[in-house]
Amino acid sequence: ETGVTQSPTHLIKTRGQQVTLRCSSQSGHNTVSWYQQALGQGPQFIFQYYREEENGRGNFPPRFSGLQFPNYSSELNVNALELDDSALYLCASSPPQGQGTDTQYFGPGTRLTVL
Amino acid sequence: AQSVTQPDIHITVSEGASLELRCNYSYGATPYLFWYVQSPGQGLQLLLKYFSGDTLVQGIKGFEAEFKRSQSSFNLRKPSVHWSDAAEYFCALNPTSGTYKYIFGTGTRLKVLA
């Protein structure tokens, strides 16, 4: 069983640019969530996708957007990058509800540095 | 407001010593609670989870945690720490069943002395 994978591993961008991060969910999982983890902090919930629709959003501005594809993989897009967007971005997938678990499984993350 | 507090930012223990990492939560009902571990530069690995039932839950790598409703706590324990346990540990709360919108604490960094 393949776990959650993310690409790229590391990324360096400059202020004002746009970035796309990608996530492949674990086999059989139909919900994907994205988190931002700033240095020395716990992960903060950005948003969640279920069956290709956004299904909840944290306290992040609209320049953070996402997509989920029919195969349940997902993208996180960030426009007009700011220095404070530098962080580890974590993707997590979860199985369909009713399978006896409310557990998320995390990928290794993408380290984004904004200069 | 829903929140998770991990009072200890750093903890240092000697190899072979026992370990307890503290987690307190604020939530109106019984939440779903989790402990994750993060090694440097890595993602989060699930150690254990509490949904309901037995308040003492067993996890991987010899870890266990006890849910205490009266104290709003979910402390993580290990009887004998190994050098490979050095990492950052996060307690998390899922306030709504099935939504996966976890609230994380700020983490506790564990250092293990040889």
Side-chain angles (χ1 to χ4, degrees), chain A residues 35 37 48 95 97 102-104, chain B residues 36 38 49 98-100 102:
Chain A
Y35 291 80
Q37 185 180 14
Q48 179 181 103
Q97 295 180 34
D102 277 90
T103 304
Q104 291 184 111
Chain B
Y36 284 86
Q38 186 177 39
K49 58 191 176 185
T99 63
Y100 309 113
Y102 287 16

Side-chain angles (χ1 to χ4, degrees), chain A residues 97-110:
Chain A
Q97 295 180 34
Q99 293 195 357
T101 177
D102 277 90
T103 304
Q104 291 184 111
Y105 298 87
F106 285 81
T110 293

